């Protein structure tokens, strides 16, 4: 564990405490990522690597959803080990031009869940926003 | 103009030169943002402000698309002037919890364009990725 890892863990904890989802988000710092991929596949899950070099999402999303399996999503920083392209079941491009990894993950999740992720309620939040047309409506517990 | 502004302009220019779209992306640094909003609306366009305090995108996207108007999207940094909430035609939440502004814009555009933005070809690129299932396929002009 490094100081950076600790900082990320603390941030996640704080966010969960404020906005809910303490039991729904987990962070693990791991070294042996190959084993994670292998275990996931051994348990019947599929592995999707998001990369601008991959096949276009529009052409693959129906196929991926039809598999109806748990999905492990891999998103790399600038340089991803070449092996990942071959260990993944799908290399998927959210566009074949450079883009934000966070934006790619957002679109992938939105497509996978058909937008229903926004209806999901988190638990034990201390602050909550009520959707509103103009202005801000915030409830504090 | 500040040094930061110059740096952003230069980055955009470099990216366009490499990946195409020189005539399709423009950056302007402006002070009078209220006038931009007013002019946009005067020309028949609609103004969508993306904010976690807004109405849920799932409930508004069909209505926004049905208007079939040019859309000015506003995305603020941490503190957005209160006025914007009232100048905008729509305050739209890509989820009512804190999230990446880039991710919010990505999902909004993906919904507005029905994913067809990925089929759009840019012009005069010097490098191009060919979508591929495994590995990397890059063409340099």
């Amino acid at each position: 564990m490094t100081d950076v890892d600790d900082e990320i863990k603390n941030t996640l904890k704080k966010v969960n405490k404020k906005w809910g989802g303490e039991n729904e988000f987990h962070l693990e710092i791991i070294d042996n990522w190959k084993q994670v991929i292998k275990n996931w596949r051994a348990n019947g899950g599929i592995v999707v690597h998001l990369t601008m070099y991959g096949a276009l999402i529009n052409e693959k999303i129906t196929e991926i959803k039809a598999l109806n399996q748990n999905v492990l999503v891999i998103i790399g920083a600038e340089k991803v080990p070449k092996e990942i392209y071959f260990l993944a079941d799908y290399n998927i491009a959210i566009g074949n031009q450079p883009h934000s990894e966070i934006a790619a993950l957002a679109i992938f999740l939105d497509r996978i869940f058909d937008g229903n992720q926004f209806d999901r309620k988190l638990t034990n939040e201390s602050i909550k926003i009520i959707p509103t047309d103009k202005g801000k409506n915030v409830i504090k517990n």
Side-chain angles (χ1 to χ4, degrees), chain A residues 128-139:
Chain A
K128 198 176 175 177
I129 292 172
I130 308 299
T132 183
D133 284 332
K134 304 274 172 191
K136 301 179 183 181
N137 189 354
V138 179
I139 291 178

Side-chain angles (χ1 to χ4, degrees), chain A:
Chain A
M1 288 271 286
T2 66
D3 287 353
V4 175
D5 294 340
D6 275 338
E7 210 185 308
I8 297 172
K9 281 203 168 183
N10 287 336
T11 300
L12 185 67
K13 213 171 163 183
K14 269 188 224 162
V15 171
N16 280 163
K17 215 171 159 65
K18 192 167 178 184
W19 295 96
E22 254 174 307
N23 302 316
E24 295 167 84
F25 294 96
H26 302 280
L27 174 69
E28 274 182 72
I29 315 285
I30 49 165
D31 289 315
N32 195 349
W33 52 267
K34 282 182 215 171
Q35 199 55 49
V36 175
I37 296 177
K38 282 173 191 164
N39 290 350
W40 192 268
R41 299 191 67 193
N43 289 324
I46 61 163
V47 176
V48 175
H49 172 220
L50 300 184
T51 162
M52 67 173 175
Y53 297 101
L56 277 167
I57 185 169
N58 291 356
E59 289 169 23
K60 297 284 183 182
I61 191 70
T62 312
E63 180 180 325
I64 292 171
K65 284 169 72 174
L67 292 172
N68 204 20
Q69 298 296 334
N70 289 329
V71 177
L72 172 68
V73 181
I74 300 177
I75 311 166
E78 281 201 22
K79 281 282 172 203
V80 173
K82 204 181 168 188
E83 256 179 301
I84 289 189
Y85 290 84
F86 296 90
L87 285 172
D89 295 293
Y90 292 93
N91 291 286
I92 297 295
I94 315 293
N96 291 117
Q97 294 213 327
H99 52 254
S100 149
E101 283 89 1
I102 298 299
L105 178 62
I107 288 181
F108 182 73
L109 294 177
D110 195 43
R111 299 278 193 103
I112 280 278
F113 292 124
D114 287 320
N116 296 320
Q117 74 277 14
F118 296 129
D119 301 328
R120 184 172 171 171
K121 305 288 173 236
L122 295 179
T123 47
N124 292 326
E125 72 275 23
S126 64
I127 187 168
K128 198 176 175 177
I129 292 172
I130 308 299
T132 183
D133 284 332
K134 304 274 172 191
K136 301 179 183 181
N137 189 354
V138 179
I139 291 178
K140 286 181 186 168
N141 291 331

